[in-house]
């Protein structure tokens, strides 16, 4: 069966890409770690670079993979929700909303000399995500044109970023530099503790999304048909909004706003697998997002080493052209 | 009555809390087709959308199979009611077959994976609408008519007991309109399904429906069998027809008559007159028609288009009085057109008229009909 072959080959390619990029990411950097050494470190036999690999590179790799997957999945869910192929957490301003509330929280706590835990970070960024999301929902109830929705989202994103910049500029704290760095998006400085927290948020969300495959497939046909097929549309819409917000909040909390992954990856996955079935799309988008972000992080770390690029610049470089491509293709279909 | 499969009780429908139609009481039994007709914007779709819960009811209840729908679970409703609406169904990267298969949704498991039985039902439904040739093509690339048939197949494989369709024939050509309605009839006969739909085509509504509901100016105006509803006067009033007329016997529409002093007298009968009447109407030539028996097909069209029609009652001979009337009318016309070449014992009077017109030099041969609007210049 041709369909099945495509499915198997697609997943095989994604897995190979994932493994390959993990190895490459461990290997590359200011200190080179040979594949032989990697194996011996992973097996616990130790080596000269145990600390670098165990406490810097591996958590960062896990984070990039998890957060990349979360972004792509969040993008797919939003695209389903808005029936709009270029919807995504960044482009709709949801990441920026999360960033704003997160910065306010951080500055608030830091100025009082209180350390902020991972869970509080996620909560703050979830509140911000929901705030932006409610604006987007409000606008989407008024405008039906897909391009207008996107423009509104981009504007919300700009407003949030501008306010964040003000806040950071006027905050008098030594952590400003870090904050500024984070607000551009980066996977650096992630600890195993962080990875644990993000995994415990993202992986359950992934499972829930996968279990929602069936109503998602119904919803893809349109709300009217979904309802007639037996989907409780109100509850389902709420679930989609919550899931996608949780996912993008988790990402923003740990890595700042990362652009275009949510739009580009689902689109690439759709063209590889030639299907929009959520049963395939959800795991494939997650894997694809992981691969995409590992690749981008590799480039961000190593392209101009020792200077590190912001991850968002790299994802935008690859992701934005994909968005343009999607829009052009849509235009052609509508003619 | 308990035999209604789906019925409304004191239902008010409308948008944004503003009632458009109040106190609607309609119902469909299994094995029956109920059709909503009425002018554009009268609220047919609003009624259907409210009954399938796409719109919130403003008052009243919809009862499906003895239960109030508002209290039913989505999944239970889905196994009883399928829809074919005018809303575009988004089907990204889906083949026609994939779309049809979505009808099995209420029966599949947690992840929606199709079993062998499901797949068989899908094929069966595709075969029912004769969609085998295009079911494997992308849904976005087939014609509107083919799409509509697959949407019906989708509804069929949902194994519903009632199907709600909103103007299902809108995008179809004549052949496919008939085919679609035939399939509905078959479903009603073989599976005892109830069908509730809105139709634009009065002729089809008249022929396929068991009962008809007329929606006009935001009210349910009348409800009854096609025989009760489809009368010339009622349909013309329902649609507020000012130009043209509706013929209930044929279920056909005629353009408005051209008024004024008749310029031509058309001798017709047995269907020969109709094309001439229509040609004259198109060119704006007022004419009179005669002598027709009231059971002649030409009579129905002449009544609608001619300024004046001379006729005799069905099965009656054309008597001297009728002939006199026709003569007088003919005298006022510049030309006479005779569509007949054969005459029989019942229409000897028509032969007389023709001969008199020929003697007066008024008889215009059929192939020179265009003289009446070009002014008769040499051709």
């Amino acid at each position: 069966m041709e369909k099945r072959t495509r499915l198997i080959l697609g997943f095989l390619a994604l897995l190979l890409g994932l493994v390959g990029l993990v190895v490459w990411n461990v290997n590359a950097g200011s200190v080179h770690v040979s594949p032989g050494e990697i194996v011996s470190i992973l097996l616990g036999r130790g080596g000269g670079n145990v600390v670098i690999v165990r406490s810097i590179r591996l958590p960062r790799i896990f984070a990039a993979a998890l957060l990349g997957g979360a972004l792509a999945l969040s993008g797919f869910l939003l695209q389903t929700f808005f029936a709009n192929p270029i919807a995504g957490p960044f482009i709709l301003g949801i990441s920026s909303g999360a960033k704003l509330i997160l910065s306010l929280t951080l500055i608030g706590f830091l100025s009082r000399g209180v350390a902020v835990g991972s869970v509080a970070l996620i909560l703050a960024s979830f509140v911000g995500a929901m705030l932006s999301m409610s604006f987007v929902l409000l606008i989407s109830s008024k405008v039906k044109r897909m391009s207008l929705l996107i423009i509104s989202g981009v504007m919300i994103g700009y407003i949030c970023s501008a306010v964040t910049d003000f806040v950071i500029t006027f905050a008098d704290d030594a952590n400003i530099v870090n904050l500024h760095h984070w607000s551009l998006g980066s996977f650096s400085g992630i600890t195993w503790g962080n990875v644990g927290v993000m995994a415990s948020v993202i992986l359950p969300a992934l499972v829930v999304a996968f279990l929602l495959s069936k109503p998602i497939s119904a919803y893809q046909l349109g709300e009217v048909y979904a309802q007639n097929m037996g989907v409780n549309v109100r509850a389902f819409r709420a679930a989609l909004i919550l899931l996608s917000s949780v996912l993008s909040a988790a990402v923003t909390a740990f890595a700042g706003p990362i652009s275009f992954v949510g739009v580009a990856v689902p689109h690439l996955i759709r063209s590889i697998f030639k299907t929009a079935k959520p049963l395939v799309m959800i795991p494939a988008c997650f894997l694809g997002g992981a691969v995409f972000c590992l690749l981008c992080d590799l480039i961000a770390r190593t392209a101009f080493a020792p200077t590190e690029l912001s991850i968002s610049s790299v994802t935008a470089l690859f992701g934005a052209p994909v968005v343009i491509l999607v829009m052009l293709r849509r235009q052609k279909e509508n003619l | 009555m308990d035999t209604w499969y789906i019925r409304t009780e004191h239902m008010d429908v409308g948008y944004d809390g503003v009632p458009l139609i109040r106190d609607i009481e309609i119902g469909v039994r299994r094995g029956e087709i109920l059709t909503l007709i009425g002018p554009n914007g009268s609220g047919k779709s609003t009624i259907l959308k409210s009954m399938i819960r796409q719109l919130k009811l403003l008052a009243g209840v919809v009862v499906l199979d003895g239960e109030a729908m508002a209290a039913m679970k989505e999944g239970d409703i889905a196994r009883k009611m399928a829809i074919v609406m005018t809303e575009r169904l988004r089907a990204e990267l889906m083949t026609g077959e994939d779309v049809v298969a979505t009808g099995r949704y209420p029966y599949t498991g947690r992840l929606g994976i199709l079993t062998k039985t499901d797949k068989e039902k899908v094929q069966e439904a595709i075969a029912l609408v004769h969609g085998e040739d295009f079911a494997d093509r992308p849904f976005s690339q087939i014609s509107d008519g083919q799409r509509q048939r697959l949407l019906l197949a989708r509804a069929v494989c949902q194994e519903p007991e009632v199907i709600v369709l909103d103007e299902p024939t809108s995008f179809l050509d004549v052949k496919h309109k008939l085919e679609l309605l035939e399939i509905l009839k078959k479903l009603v006969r073989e599976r005892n399904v109830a069908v509730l739909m809105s139709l634009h085509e009065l002729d089809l509504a008249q022929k396929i429906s068991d009962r008809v509901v007329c929606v006009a100016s935001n009210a349910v105006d009348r409800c009854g069998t096609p025989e009760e509803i489809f009368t010339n006067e009622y349909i013309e009033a329902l649609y507020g027809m000012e130009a043209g007329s509706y013929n209930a016997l044929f279920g056909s529409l005629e353009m408005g008559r051209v008024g004024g002093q008749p310029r031509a007298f058309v001798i017709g009968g047995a269907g020969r007159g109709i094309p001439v009447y229509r040609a004259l109407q198109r060119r704006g030539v007022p004419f009179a028609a005669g002598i027709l028996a009231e059971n002649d097909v030409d009579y129905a069209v002449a009544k609608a288009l001619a300024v004046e029609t001379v006729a005799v009652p069905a099965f009656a001979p054309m008597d001297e009085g009728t002939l006199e009337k026709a003569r007088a009318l003919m005298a006022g016309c510049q030309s006479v057109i005779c569509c007949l070449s054969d005459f029989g014992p019942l229409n000897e009077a028509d032969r007389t008229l023709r001969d008199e017109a020929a003697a007066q030099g008024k008889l215009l041969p059929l192939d020179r009909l265009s003289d009446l609007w070009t002014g008769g210049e040499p051709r």
Side-chain angles (χ1 to χ4, degrees):
Chain A
M1 237 172 103
E2 209 239 325
K3 262 188 201 166
R4 180 158 293 172
T5 323
R6 184 181 280 278
L7 215 65
I8 293 168
L9 284 180
F11 274 110
L12 221 61
L14 285 176
L15 282 173
L16 277 177
L18 187 68
V19 172
L21 278 161
V22 167
V23 172
W24 197 354
N25 261 300
V26 177
N27 163 269
S30 47
V31 176
H32 278 270
V33 184
S34 70
E37 203 180 345
I38 296 174
V39 172
S40 79
I41 290 172
L42 288 180
L43 292 177
R45 271 188 245 130
N49 298 310
V50 174
V51 180
I52 293 180
V53 172
R54 281 231 180 124
S55 49
I56 298 177
R57 290 200 186 157
L58 275 181
R60 183 171 181 154
I61 287 167
F62 269 88
L66 277 172
L67 298 179
L71 275 175
L73 182 54
S74 169
F76 172 71
L77 297 178
L78 288 170
Q79 285 157 27
T80 307
F81 184 88
F82 289 109
N84 185 331
I86 44 181
F90 185 81
I91 218 162
L92 289 176
I94 294 161
S95 303
S96 310
K99 179 175 81 167
L100 171 61
I101 301 296
L102 201 49
S103 320
L104 288 174
T105 316
L106 274 176
I107 289 168
F109 277 105
L110 289 177
S111 61
R112 286 178 184 78
V114 185
V116 192
S118 303
V119 179
L121 285 181
I122 291 189
L123 274 179
S125 109
F126 178 69
V127 170
M130 286 306 284
L131 218 63
S132 282
M133 182 65 106
S134 28
F135 272 114
V136 175
L137 285 176
L138 197 72
I139 293 166
S140 78
S141 67
K142 303 239 187 289
V143 296
K144 289 287 164 238
R145 282 253 305 281
M146 115 186 170
S147 48
L148 283 180
L149 179 72
I150 297 295
I151 291 170
S152 322
V154 171
M155 293 304 132
I156 291 174
Y158 269 113
I159 295 169
C160 292
S161 294
V163 177
T164 312
D165 281 346
F166 284 137
V167 172
I168 291 176
T169 312
F170 294 112
D172 53 347
D173 196 276
N175 282 300
I176 284 177
V177 183
N178 280 335
L179 206 53
H180 183 70
H181 183 65
W182 163 84
S183 76
L184 293 175
S186 166
F187 289 130
S188 70
I190 289 209
T191 64
W192 278 115
N194 296 149
V195 172
V197 175
M198 68 179 77
S200 60
V201 174
I202 293 170
L203 294 179
L206 171 66
V207 172
V208 173
F210 188 72
L211 291 177
L212 284 177
S213 292
K214 192 180 161 185
I216 290 175
S217 71
Y219 195 81
Q220 282 174 332
L221 303 176
E223 217 174 294
V224 178
Y225 290 94
Q227 189 187 33
N228 179 247
M229 287 155 80
V231 178
N232 182 339
V233 172
R234 282 172 72 100
F236 172 74
R237 282 171 65 102
L240 267 195
I241 290 291
L242 278 178
L243 267 182
S244 52
S245 299
V246 163
L247 286 168
S248 46
V251 177
T252 313
F254 292 105
I258 298 177
S259 58
F260 296 109
V261 179
V263 187
V265 172
H267 176 72
L268 293 172
I269 295 294
R270 241 177 252 130
S271 16
I272 292 171
F273 286 88
K274 296 259 181 279
T275 178
K277 285 198 178 96
L279 222 46
V280 177
M281 283 299 284
I282 290 173
C285 278
F286 197 86
L287 275 176
V291 170
F292 189 85
C293 276
L294 281 173
L295 178 67
C296 290
D297 193 40
L298 183 70
I299 295 168
R301 283 196 305 124
T302 56
F304 300 103
T307 313
E308 197 169 297
L309 299 169
S310 89
I311 180 76
S312 224
S313 323
V314 184
T315 53
L317 204 62
F318 291 107
V322 176
V323 176
I324 296 173
L325 214 72
V326 177
M327 284 197 291
L328 288 178
R329 187 176 291 183
R330 279 278 145 161
Q331 186 73 20
K332 217 163 73 187
E333 275 171 16
N334 289 345
L335 283 181
Chain B
M1 255 166 68
D2 277 336
T3 52
W4 300 121
Y5 188 73
I6 180 168
R7 72 169 196 276
T8 64
E9 285 174 4
H10 305 293
M11 180 174 77
D12 287 6
V13 302
Y15 295 90
D16 302 321
V18 183
L20 182 70
I21 311 180
R22 286 179 187 275
D23 210 22
I24 302 165
E25 302 255 338
I26 55 178
V28 200
R29 299 180 190 93
R30 295 192 65 170
E32 184 184 66
I33 296 181
L34 179 73
T35 308
L36 269 55
I37 62 166
N40 286 337
S42 59
K44 302 185 292 286
S45 295
T46 315
I47 294 179
L48 294 182
K49 283 177 185 169
S50 303
M51 289 180 74
I52 65 164
R53 299 187 316 158
Q54 189 185 335
L55 287 175
K56 247 179 136 159
L57 297 188
L58 301 183
V61 281
V62 180
V63 179
L64 177 67
D65 201 10
E67 267 184 89
M69 262 175 84
M72 290 172 77
K73 284 209 197 93
E74 274 82 5
D76 294 337
I77 295 175
R79 278 186 280 268
K80 295 184 169 182
M81 183 169 83
I83 58 168
V84 177
M85 301 306 274
T86 46
E87 270 83 5
R88 243 193 142 81
L89 178 141
R90 291 193 301 264
E92 200 192 4
L93 298 172
M94 288 172 92
T95 64
E97 194 180 325
D98 290 337
V99 171
V100 175
T102 63
R104 295 304 298 165
Y105 186 97
Y107 303 95
T108 52
R110 189 88 189 78
L111 291 177
I113 294 164
L114 298 174
T115 63
K116 201 163 154 263
T117 330
D118 289 324
K119 285 180 183 158
E120 282 166 13
K121 302 245 186 208
V122 170
Q123 292 311 324
E124 212 176 280
I126 291 173
L128 185 78
V129 301
H130 309 296
E132 296 95 334
D133 294 342
F134 48 85
D136 54 349
R137 292 187 28 212
F139 192 70
S140 54
Q141 287 171 22
I142 57 179
S143 74
D144 284 330
Q146 291 170 334
R147 246 179 249 165
Q148 196 69 358
R149 282 151 73 189
L150 290 181
L151 285 179
L152 182 62
R154 175 184 175 278
V156 167
C157 78
Q158 202 171 329
E159 300 186 307
E161 274 142 22
V162 55
I163 303 184
V164 179
L165 307 98
D166 193 6
E167 285 170 14
T169 50
S170 288
F171 296 113
L172 304 184
D173 60 28
V174 278
K175 170 182 144 97
H176 292 118
K177 270 188 213 276
L178 286 175
E179 260 184 34
L180 189 104
L181 295 180
E182 282 296 338
I183 295 165
L184 282 180
K185 267 279 182 226
K186 203 167 148 188
L187 284 170
V188 168
R189 271 199 304 264
E190 291 176 5
R191 304 195 186 184
N192 202 27
V193 171
V195 171
L196 171 63
M197 65 176 163
S198 62
L199 272 186
H200 255 318
E201 295 87 348
L202 292 176
D203 50 339
L204 298 176
Q206 182 181 13
K207 284 157 200 163
I208 192 177
S209 316
D210 294 299
R211 282 182 314 116
V212 179
V213 168
C214 307
V215 187
S217 51
N218 302 333
V220 172
D221 195 54
R222 236 187 232 196
C223 181
T225 62
E227 292 71 31
E228 289 163 354
I229 299 293
F230 289 95
T231 64
N232 298 359
E233 297 75 23
Y234 181 66
I235 293 296
E236 282 168 24
L238 178 67
Y239 282 85
M241 285 166 59
E242 278 159 11
S245 59
Y246 173 77
N247 183 316
L249 278 181
F250 302 150
S252 66
L253 295 172
E254 292 297 343
M255 305 290 288
R257 87 178 81 234
V258 181
Q261 174 66 32
R263 277 165 43 202
F265 187 90
V266 184
I267 302 169
R272 311 267 171 78
I274 292 176
V276 176
Y277 304 153
R278 295 213 170 120
L280 293 175
Q281 192 279 337
R282 277 198 298 277
R283 296 292 181 161
V285 181
F287 68 95
I291 300 173
L292 297 167
E294 283 177 4
N295 58 339
D296 197 303
V297 278
D298 283 359
Y299 176 72
V301 180
K303 271 292 270 187
L305 297 182
V307 179
E308 207 165 325
T309 306
V310 183
V312 292
F315 317 117
M318 294 171 183
D319 55 11
E320 203 43 47
T322 323
L323 184 60
E324 260 323 304
K325 236 169 100 186
R327 259 192 204 117
L329 206 52
M330 200 165 83
C333 298
Q334 302 153 16
S335 318
V336 175
I337 299 137
C338 183
C339 311
L340 302 173
S341 44
D342 312 309
F343 300 90
L346 276 177
N347 68 346
E348 272 305 321
D350 281 337
R351 189 204 298 269
T352 314
L353 282 176
R354 182 196 64 177
D355 293 345
E356 287 175 14
Q360 293 160 22
K362 277 187 179 179
L363 194 66
L364 190 66
L366 265 178
D367 58 358
R368 285 185 53 202
L369 194 63
S370 59
D371 288 3
L372 280 168
W373 55 84
T374 56
E377 284 87 14
R379 296 178 309 146

